[in-house]
Amino acid sequence: LVLSNKLINKSLFELEKLLYLKDNDIYENSHVFITSLPRFGTTIFLNFLFSSDEFASLKYSNMPFILSPNFSKIFNKKNVKRKERLHLDGIEQDLNSPEAFDEVFFSIDEKYVKEELIDYINLILISQNKTRYLSKNNNNFKRINLINSTFPNAIILLTYRDPLQQSYSLLNQHKQMCALQKKEKFILDYMNYLGHQEFGLNYQS
C-alpha cells in the first residue's frame, strides 16, 4: 500500500519535514554514490563502506516508509534472522543492512526530485546521526549531473567486473528471478515498487 502509492509517500515525507527536518549544512559534505551495471559487485562495495560506520544509508528497517526514515523508526519491527538474499549469491542481509531503496524517491518525478533531494538526504542523515550519505543504485549514472550540481564534493564510484563474468552472472540471475516471480507474484510487485528492473519478468534494458 505504501510503496505503490506516491501520494502516501509524499504525504509522509511532508510530515517528516515538519517533525524532524533541521537546517543542517550538508551541501559540501563528501557523500558517496555507487553506481554500475547490475551484477558488478555494487552491493559488496556498499556493505564494505557502510561497515566503516561513517555513513548513513537507507536500510531494510526503513521499509516500507522509504521517504520517511525517521518516522519508520517509530514502528517496532520483529528481529529478522540474518539470511542469504533472494539472489542466492552468498550475500546475507538483515534489518540493518543497507540497500538501494532511494530509487523509490528518484522515481517520483524529475522536478520533485530536484526540489526535495537535499531535504530527503538530510532526513536520512538525521535519522542515523551521520553527516555523510551513502547510496548504491545502478541508476545513479543517470543523475550524475544532478548529484554534482547539488553536492559539489560528492564522490561517485563506478565498480567494474570482467564483462563475460558479469554477463554470465546476470543471465543466471535473470533466470532465477523469473522463476521466483512466476511462483510468487509479490516478488514481481515488490521489485516494481522499488524500481528494480535489471532482471526478472519486469526486465527493462
Side-chain angles (χ1 to χ4, degrees):
L1 177 63
V2 175
L3 288 174
S4 63
N5 193 306
K6 291 183 179 181
L7 178 60
I8 292 178
N9 272 311
K10 291 167 75 172
S11 298
L12 289 173
F13 179 64
E14 292 301 319
L15 179 62
E16 273 266 312
K17 290 194 294 182
L18 287 173
L19 295 177
Y20 298 104
L21 189 61
K22 302 174 184 177
D23 189 20
N24 296 331
D25 185 6
I26 66 170
Y27 310 100
E28 297 184 359
N29 296 5
S30 53
H31 309 294
V32 175
F33 295 84
I34 303 170
T35 188
S36 194
L37 294 174
R39 310 307 298 163
F40 257 52
T42 53
T43 300
I44 293 175
F45 202 25
L46 169 71
N47 289 334
F48 173 72
L49 292 178
F50 189 72
S51 68
S52 69
D53 201 32
E54 293 186 15
F55 301 94
S57 186
L58 289 168
K59 302 180 291 185
Y60 281 91
S61 58
N62 293 122
M63 292 291 288
F65 305 104
I66 300 302
L67 266 68
S68 44
N70 293 276
F71 183 69
S72 66
K73 295 193 298 183
I74 296 175
F75 296 90
N76 292 322
K77 298 180 175 67
K78 296 180 180 179
N79 288 327
V80 177
K81 185 178 180 181
R82 191 169 181 83
K83 62 180 181 179
E84 187 177 21
R85 63 179 184 168
L86 288 178
H87 300 64
L88 300 180
D89 54 6
I91 296 178
E92 295 186 342
Q93 296 173 320
D94 57 24
L95 289 179
N96 291 316
S97 298
E99 189 47 271
F101 293 137
D102 55 9
E103 189 62 25
V104 175
F105 169 78
F106 284 115
S107 66
I108 294 178
D109 65 65
E110 186 176 353
K111 182 177 183 294
Y112 185 85
V113 168
K114 286 182 179 180
E115 293 175 349
E116 303 291 352
L117 178 57
I118 291 175
D119 284 348
Y120 180 52
I121 290 181
N122 197 2
L123 285 169
I124 297 172
L125 295 174
I126 290 170
S127 72
Q128 298 176 38
N129 195 28
K130 301 293 182 183
T131 59
R132 300 177 69 190
Y133 178 61
L134 174 63
S135 167
K136 186 272 291 189
N137 193 322
N138 291 333
N139 291 319
N140 276 339
F141 76 92
K142 298 179 180 179
R143 52 188 73 105
I144 288 178
N145 289 336
L146 172 63
I147 293 169
N148 283 333
S149 63
T150 307
F151 302 109
N153 294 322
I155 299 170
I156 298 174
L157 299 176
L158 177 67
T159 60
Y160 180 80
R161 184 181 183 184
D162 179 89
L164 288 178
Q165 292 295 324
Q166 184 266 345
S167 299
Y168 179 72
S169 176
L170 185 57
L171 177 60
N172 284 340
Q173 195 60 236
H174 177 69
K175 292 178 179 178
Q176 178 178 301
M177 195 57 64
C178 283
L180 287 172
Q181 291 170 341
K182 288 177 181 178
K183 184 178 180 180
E184 178 57 66
K185 184 180 180 297
F186 178 73
I187 298 176
L188 175 60
D189 293 337
Y190 177 77
M191 298 291 277
N192 280 323
Y193 296 152
L194 298 181
H196 289 314
Q197 300 168 331
E198 302 95 337
F199 43 74
L201 297 177
N202 59 336
Y203 166 76
Q204 291 186 13
S205 59

